[in-house]
Amino acid sequence: MTFAALQKSARARHLSILGGFHPDAGDDVPQACRTILLLGPDEPAFWPVYQDSPEALDGAPDPMDRWSRRVIGAWAETLGAQALYPFGGPPFLPFYSWALRSGRVHAAPVQFLVHDTAGLMVSFRGALALQAHIDLPDSPPSPCQTCAATPCVTACPVAALTPAGYDVPACKAYLDTAAGQDCLTGGCRVRRACPVSQGFGRLPAQSEYHMRQFKGA
Ligand code: B12
Ligand code: SF4
Ligand code: SF4
């Protein structure tokens, strides 16, 4: 089983392997796991396919998390792997730390995660814990190294998300205002300001789904 073959299988499920790592004793991963692969939506193909799924149409809560359990869970079974999810807590599995371990994802100046192709729009639907050692491609450097303008630092209209931290109540309060409808329906302006995010193909409707979930949380 090669990384390329697994990436092809991920894409067939409208997912993408955004990074991976070979765990050591310090990583909080399942026993006997030799490779962790982090899975995110394959953009822009993911959203229209998800919208036609039974989970998106049945009106029950947490449709995207249920979609993830079904699709990633079934794939893991065929691989003899364990499926792991970023939701379902607390306690939560340490996806933020795992993302950093992959070397494909870095902490942006505003602390959110930034990926070499997804930018600040990076997000995870789950992970596969495999017993096999899968050779992983080399990781490119962080895009922040060559981003002189750092637009993420000043993009939040109410300075709720800056290098000083994330003021969640201030962010949510802004989402309730008329001016905040742009963040609510189009996605966080900080995440959108990143030039790497802009080339990723995340659809505004998908951002709106997540922003409404976040606002209601
Ligand atoms: C709780 C949580 C939140 C909380 C608190 C965030 C926080 N301060 O940590 C709230 C509700 C505020 C939140 C909001 C959002 N979150 Co959130 N969140 C989580 C969640 C479920 C658990 C985090 C956790 O406690 N992990 C357990 C600890 C023990 O392990 P760890 O994560 O490795 O711990 C590290 C982090 O906590 C990190 N850390 C410490 N302080 C901070 C502060 C910030 C701002 C961040 C990002 C990280 C961070 O340091 C720890 C050690 O390395 C993770 C998924 C996960 N399972 O990790 C997503 C996750 C971090 N969130 C994510 C996302 C997408 C969002 C939203 C953008 C959702 C949306 N609307 O689309 C929003 C932000 C709204 C916006 N402005 O756009 C993504 C990452 C996105 C990114 N590019 O960074 C994750 C990985 C979920 C996913 N499925 O991909 N989230
Ligand atoms: S805007 Fe620039 S500094 Fe900010 S996360 Fe994106 S690449 Fe990094
Ligand atoms: S969603 Fe809007 S208010 Fe909240 S952190 Fe992002 S830019 Fe700021």
Side-chain angles (χ1 to χ4, degrees):
M1 213 170 9
T2 63
F3 180 85
L6 287 161
Q7 184 64 286
K8 203 171 157 201
S9 300
R11 294 244 155 84
R13 293 164 173 82
H14 311 287
L15 293 165
S16 176
I17 303 173
L18 297 175
F21 64 97
H22 302 121
D24 56 35
D27 295 308
D28 182 12
V29 301
Q31 271 188 343
C33 160
R34 294 177 65 205
T35 308
I36 294 277
L37 298 177
L38 299 166
L39 305 170
D42 186 26
E43 309 288 14
F46 170 82
W47 183 248
V49 169
Y50 161 75
Q51 273 188 306
D52 276 344
S53 71
E55 292 84 2
L57 296 168
D58 67 13
D62 302 322
M64 199 179 286
D65 294 349
R66 291 184 290 113
W67 182 94
S68 307
R69 283 192 195 279
R70 174 173 61 82
V71 173
I72 299 172
W75 185 22
E77 214 164 294
T78 69
L79 293 169
Q82 186 174 342
L84 306 167
Y85 303 101
F87 46 82
F92 293 104
L93 289 169
F95 270 73
Y96 185 99
S97 303
W98 290 349
L100 297 181
R101 277 283 278 121
S102 76
R104 293 279 306 272
V105 184
H106 308 268
V110 292
Q111 286 182 47
F112 273 32
L113 298 170
V114 57
H115 180 264
D116 61 276
T117 61
L120 281 171
M121 282 299 171
V122 68
S123 67
F124 304 100
R125 294 309 337 144
L128 293 173
L130 294 138
Q131 288 176 24
H133 178 104
I134 308 293
D135 283 334
L136 300 169
D138 288 341
S139 298
S142 165
C144 304
Q145 279 182 23
T146 48
C147 179
T150 59
C152 59
V153 167
T154 50
C156 177
V158 288
L161 179 56
T162 69
Y166 184 27
D167 183 342
V168 177
C171 171
K172 287 193 177 182
Y174 184 67
L175 297 177
D176 274 334
T177 67
Q181 298 314 292
D182 178 53
C183 289
L184 188 64
T185 59
C188 173
R189 281 210 216 173
V190 173
R191 297 179 79 199
R192 281 192 280 157
C194 173
V196 189
S197 305
Q198 287 163 13
F200 182 49
R202 168 67 57 87
L203 298 173
Q206 186 177 344
S207 291
E208 181 174 359
Y209 168 84
H210 290 292
M211 290 307 291
R212 288 192 186 280
Q213 294 280 118
F214 162 68
K215 185 172 168 281

